[in-house]
Amino acid sequence: MTNAFPQFDLNGRVALVTGAARGLGRAISLALANAGADVALGLRSAATGSDLVREIQALGRKALPLQMDMAHMDQITHSVEATAAHFGRLDVLVNNAGVSPGNPAEDFLESDFDLTIAVNIKGTFFASQAAGRVMIRQKRGCIVNMSSQAGFVALPTESVYCTSKAAISHLTKCLAVEWGKHNIRVNAVAPTFIATPGTEEALADPAFRADTIERIAGLHRIVFLGSSAASLITGQTLLIDGGWTAR
């Protein structure tokens, strides 16, 4: 008798990654392709994705660049529908896109507040809604939201960003409970500071960089959450911070 072991790969799966052009989104897209998935790339400007498309194709997977500014509802809906139409399915949505304008709370601009909420919370919800409709028809699917270590601790000058990421963790629970009956899993990852163009200035501080490297962990956890090996995991936020919040 042969034991059926859990599968950690994503062979034959289709994933859509928002905010895929650079930083975490780019790394996540390549990790998913390396695990066997074809990847739709949600890009604020579709013209920016040609290099990433070639890298994914070099891994033997298909890539579909899409115009997907997360502040525009029509682009969100169209991109999810286009992914399902092009590949015939949508197995994994990774809600990676996010913004984090920082300022002391007493100086925070209303325009920055509105943008943070629009992209980080509203964009995540409605991308999930559009993907959820596809996945309900399929009777299966997986959504991975991008929370943050900032959703669990207070960071000076980041009050609105921290609030938005805390909201993502709770939204994750709500969608997991509501869509579990459709065989849709919804989880979140909450990483620490990762080296991206958006964190370059902060990581230029040697002391901060050393502390960050000490507690960093790989985002291949997203691949795990998208695989069948995580079939009993839903409604969870996985902190990826090397134990920093534990201390």
Side-chain angles (χ1 to χ4, degrees), residues 65-246:
L66 296 164
Q67 178 65 41
M68 192 179 188
D69 187 325
M70 296 299 287
H72 294 276
M73 287 291 300
D74 57 335
Q75 294 185 23
I76 293 173
T77 303
H78 176 265
S79 293
V80 172
E81 293 175 348
T83 299
H86 182 83
F87 291 108
R89 59 191 295 170
L90 174 58
D91 300 293
V92 181
L93 168 67
V94 180
N95 277 312
N96 166 73
V99 297
S100 57
N103 235 341
E106 66 271 21
D107 297 326
F108 207 86
L109 301 175
E110 183 181 8
S111 58
D112 285 342
F113 183 99
D114 291 343
L115 177 63
T116 304
I117 299 305
V119 174
N120 294 7
I121 301 178
K122 182 179 178 180
T124 294
F125 176 84
F126 283 103
S128 298
Q129 181 191 73
R133 289 169 175 166
V134 173
M135 293 172 180
I136 288 170
R137 293 198 299 269
Q138 295 175 166
K139 297 182 173 57
R140 64 166 294 167
C142 171
I143 297 173
V144 182
N145 294 324
M146 188 63 68
S147 182
S148 170
Q149 180 187 66
F152 293 83
V153 298
L155 300 179
T157 76
E158 298 286 352
S159 58
V160 179
Y161 177 73
C162 289
T163 299
S164 74
K165 291 304 182 177
I168 291 302
S169 292
H170 200 71
L171 174 63
T172 295
K173 292 181 181 180
C174 293
L175 295 180
V177 169
E178 190 164 347
W179 288 343
K181 62 186 178 183
H182 300 295
N183 198 27
I184 298 171
R185 295 184 297 107
V186 187
N187 290 292
V189 295
T192 183
F193 258 66
I194 305 294
T196 73
T199 62
E200 185 175 346
E201 182 178 351
L203 290 172
D205 179 343
F208 183 87
R209 182 180 181 86
D211 183 60
T212 300
I213 291 173
E214 179 187 341
R215 54 191 164 87
I216 204 162
L219 280 172
H220 294 303
R221 276 68 172 179
I222 291 174
V223 173
F224 164 67
L225 289 173
S227 74
S228 61
S231 60
L232 285 179
I233 301 176
T234 192
Q236 304 301 310
T237 297
L238 178 61
L239 274 157
I240 305 175
D241 68 352
W244 186 81
T245 49

